[in-house]
Amino acid sequence: MPAKAVRKGGARSRAKSLKAYREKRRFEVTPEPTGDERSRTVRKKGPIFCVQKHLASHLHYDFRLEHAGVLLSWAVPKGPSLDPSVKRLAMMVEDHPLDYADFEGVIPEGYGAGIVMLWDTGTWKPSPGFEDVDRAMKKGELKLELDGSKLKGSWVLVRTGRGAERETSRSWLLIKHRDSGAAARDVTVTAPLSVKSQGDFVDILLADEPDLWRSNRPARGGESGRMLLEILEEAVRRKEKGSRSAARRGGKRTAKKPTKKRKKAAT
Ligand code: MN
């Protein structure tokens, strides 16, 4: 009986917690998961964590932890640092559905429009003494262990601010603890690629529908706009190069294998 009650409660709070996520999105134009489906995400040895590198209005890294049926989420502008002396700002954002944990692709328009790369994923667990994650979140300090491809070992998320301000603050810091997973190198530079497709932003764009996106991409300036423009230009170069070598091999320009996504988009 108690187990059933917990599950029911979990479902209620999950629906409520994904309200902000759903309100920001139009699912008829975005490939992102609605959170309605039963999770297809492969179950591993524990709760999932993921980091999605997201080129939107600004480049940032979305750090997500599976908890109570959703992904607790923070946007980390500079990305995680393996250096324990570096504190990285992590802005708490709305909970995301569990299915989002392996999402990679192009968001053509609307909220978060841009390119999402699955930069790291694995499992996580709260450190000893922090097993009550809800309590830790409320108190604003969560020590945790990550077992990913790029991020490993012990970390802490700590909310900033003083007194009453601290209780409502959405600003946290993500800090590495000193252990074998720590390093002085900048992991965002030394390991920039996807752990899902092994590609970069250009590859992700090419695997999607670059032509469609080029024609109605969001207008945007600044560094993110410049990066986006470079990625689009490189995508065009790689696409043309690919077509030329396919032609040399005697293939047709259209002899491109339809990807799963393409098939899906066509239906
Ligand atoms: Mn984001």
Side-chain angles (χ1 to χ4, degrees):
M1 277 306 264
K4 195 177 175 188
V6 167
R7 263 205 306 280
K8 279 176 86 176
R12 261 202 306 278
S13 64
R14 183 152 66 244
K16 193 180 160 199
S17 126
L18 292 178
K19 194 166 172 272
Y21 172 86
R22 291 187 175 119
E23 279 173 357
K24 289 179 178 183
R25 288 168 176 80
R26 289 168 54 217
F27 293 103
E28 63 275 20
V29 296
T30 182
E32 298 163 282
T34 60
D36 288 335
E37 304 90 0
R38 266 186 78 89
S39 178
R40 295 179 306 268
T41 308
V42 180
R43 299 297 309 182
K44 294 185 189 171
K45 310 176 283 296
I48 295 162
F49 91 91
C50 73
V51 181
Q52 277 144 333
K53 187 172 164 182
H54 185 186
L55 181 62
S57 55
H58 295 91
L59 178 67
H60 60 273
Y61 293 73
D62 290 304
F63 182 83
R64 309 190 198 279
L65 300 174
E66 176 182 356
H67 174 64
V70 295
L71 296 168
L72 304 177
S73 299
W74 290 261
V76 184
K78 292 184 176 173
S81 172
L82 303 184
D83 183 343
S85 69
V86 174
K87 299 176 173 70
R88 284 286 155 87
L89 176 68
M91 294 301 293
M92 185 133 215
V93 295
E94 74 277 13
D95 294 347
H96 276 52
L98 214 46
D99 272 349
Y100 212 95
D102 66 352
F103 176 74
E104 176 172 285
V106 175
I107 303 173
E109 59 178 282
Y111 183 73
I115 311 174
V116 176
M117 174 200 290
L118 185 59
W119 182 79
D120 197 17
T121 190
T123 58
W124 81 281
K125 62 179 181 202
S127 300
F130 293 81
E131 290 88 353
D132 187 343
V133 175
D134 290 320
R135 185 164 160 263
M137 290 296 296
K138 215 170 165 187
K139 283 183 79 177
E141 187 182 17
L142 175 62
K143 289 188 181 167
L144 60 140
E145 321 283 328
L146 298 180
D147 187 11
S149 302
K150 300 175 186 179
L151 307 183
K152 291 177 189 299
S154 174
W155 300 69
V156 65
L157 273 161
V158 58
R159 195 162 50 214
T160 66
R162 300 205 180 278
E165 181 197 296
R166 187 160 179 260
E167 289 182 12
T168 53
S169 172
R170 295 184 82 80
S171 307
W172 296 61
L173 296 170
L174 176 64
I175 310 164
K176 182 76 192 83
H177 285 143
R178 215 165 285 281
D179 60 18
S180 60
R185 69 193 159 82
D186 184 344
V187 67
T188 63
V189 173
T190 59
L193 302 179
S194 165
V195 292
K196 185 178 185 180
S197 62
Q198 282 72 50
D200 60 10
F201 278 139
V202 176
D203 297 311
I204 295 166
L205 185 62
L206 282 170
D208 213 276
E209 293 285 350
D211 296 335
L212 180 106
W213 200 51
R214 257 170 89 200
S215 57
N216 67 7
R217 76 191 159 89
R220 133 188 347 159
E223 198 186 341
S224 157
R226 267 197 305 281
M227 282 182 68
L228 201 53
L229 203 62
E230 279 171 21
I231 287 164
L232 288 165
E233 285 168 357
E234 176 61 18
V236 171
R237 276 196 293 275
R238 284 193 206 170
K239 201 180 178 187
E240 284 172 352
K241 211 170 139 193
S243 306
R244 275 201 303 277
S245 50
R248 270 200 303 279
R249 287 196 306 270
K252 290 186 183 124
R253 281 179 70 89
T254 51
K256 199 169 194 173
K257 254 196 212 160
T259 62
K260 252 190 223 159
K261 257 203 182 117
R262 261 167 216 287
K263 276 184 190 158
K264 204 173 152 195
T267 58

